[in-house]
Amino acid sequence: MSEIFEFLVKRRSASILVDPKPKREELEQILNLAGTVPDHGQLRPYRFVVVEGEARARFGEALVDAADAHRPEKLEDRMKAKIAAKAFAAPLQILLVYSPVASDKIHAWEQMASASCTGYAAVLGAIALGYGAVWKSFAYDPGPLLQGLLSLTSEEKFLGWVNIGTEKDKETQRAEREREPLDLRRYAQFLS
Ligand SMILES: Cc1cc2nc3c(=O)[nH]c(=O)nc-3n(C[C@H](O)[C@H](O)[C@H](O)COP(=O)(O)O)c2cc1C
């Protein structure tokens, strides 16, 4: 197996992420890699909002606000704290925004597919630079605070975020999480 293939096939998402986080130059490399995803018409139907440091408190509040806006009953404080803590699960987060571009030729689904690839690319880039990463999402659509944080337009969609940091107890976590190979009889067809 080539080294690059082995890297790809053995990639695992991280669970516990701590400092140090990528340096600014590394972060830009990760974002640039995300900008290399397959993209019909080179429309770049995506953008990113990077959250780190103090800004994580704002992101946490925005997640609580989104949950609050979509629930009939008010959230208990304990639940609010649990949701807000999602923003502190890693020292750095890349928030992914699907941002479609008007086009007669390239359908919205193609643009969404392209934007979705950026999450995987960001995960791969972070891991390739020696960090841990995991793509996370939220059960509720953005409320006013998250819309504000992301400057989200009505056409755009929040695709979740990629947590990045240094993986704690990396070797133990990995050893415990061997991946089952894909059952090709179920998930693939070979036509010839
Ligand atoms: C759009 C999207 C959203 C996700 N949201 C979450 C999430 O909120 N929580 C979670 O534990 N995993 C989430 N995952 C899955 C993880 O990113 C990861 O793929 C999963 O834990 C399997 O780990 P692996 O990448 O090592 O196979 C999401 C994946 C995608 C593509």
Side-chain angles (χ1 to χ4, degrees):
M1 219 191 303
S2 77
E3 234 175 84
I4 180 78
F5 194 87
E6 193 175 359
F7 164 76
L8 291 169
V9 88
K10 290 195 169 162
R11 176 208 62 81
R12 294 310 312 250
S13 295
S15 39
I16 304 167
L17 291 167
V18 294
D19 275 314
K21 63 187 174 187
K23 295 185 257 311
R24 178 59 187 243
E25 195 193 337
E26 293 172 315
L27 171 61
E28 289 182 8
Q29 285 178 302
I30 293 166
L31 294 171
N32 268 315
L33 183 72
T36 67
V37 296
D39 177 6
H40 193 180
Q42 302 302 301
L43 299 179
R44 297 209 187 282
Y46 47 77
R47 57 186 182 83
F48 310 107
V49 177
V50 177
V51 171
E52 51 190 326
E54 306 272 301
R56 291 179 299 170
R58 213 179 135 203
F59 178 40
E61 275 170 38
L63 290 175
V64 172
D65 174 67
D68 243 346
H70 293 91
R71 289 167 68 106
E73 78 285 6
K74 282 278 154 210
L75 279 175
E76 284 172 28
D77 286 349
R78 196 172 44 88
M79 190 52 110
K80 281 187 184 173
K82 202 173 159 198
I83 293 172
K86 289 177 186 288
F88 291 88
L92 184 149
Q93 283 137 342
I94 300 176
L95 279 49
L96 311 169
V97 178
Y98 162 56
S99 188
V101 176
S103 166
D104 293 335
K105 192 173 157 224
I106 322 289
H107 295 286
W109 77 263
E110 292 187 69
Q111 297 191 38
M112 171 72 94
S114 180
S116 301
C117 289
T118 66
Y120 181 48
V123 167
L124 286 180
I127 297 173
L129 290 177
Y131 295 94
V134 58
W135 190 345
K136 292 281 183 176
S137 56
F138 198 48
Y140 306 100
D141 287 335
L145 289 190
L146 195 48
Q147 285 166 10
L149 184 90
L150 297 169
S151 307
L152 206 65
T153 68
S154 54
E155 276 87 44
E156 291 180 324
K157 200 161 171 51
F158 180 43
L159 300 180
W161 63 94
V162 177
N163 279 342
I164 302 177
T166 296
E167 209 172 345
K168 211 173 160 196
D169 307 326
K170 184 169 161 178
E171 293 317 320
T172 348
Q173 286 189 36
R174 207 144 280 166
E176 285 166 6
R177 293 164 60 237
E178 283 292 315
R179 197 197 301 275
E180 281 291 310
L182 191 68
D183 177 358
L184 295 182
R185 281 169 308 183
R186 179 168 172 200
Y187 292 102
Q189 263 185 298
F190 302 90
L191 306 177
S192 56

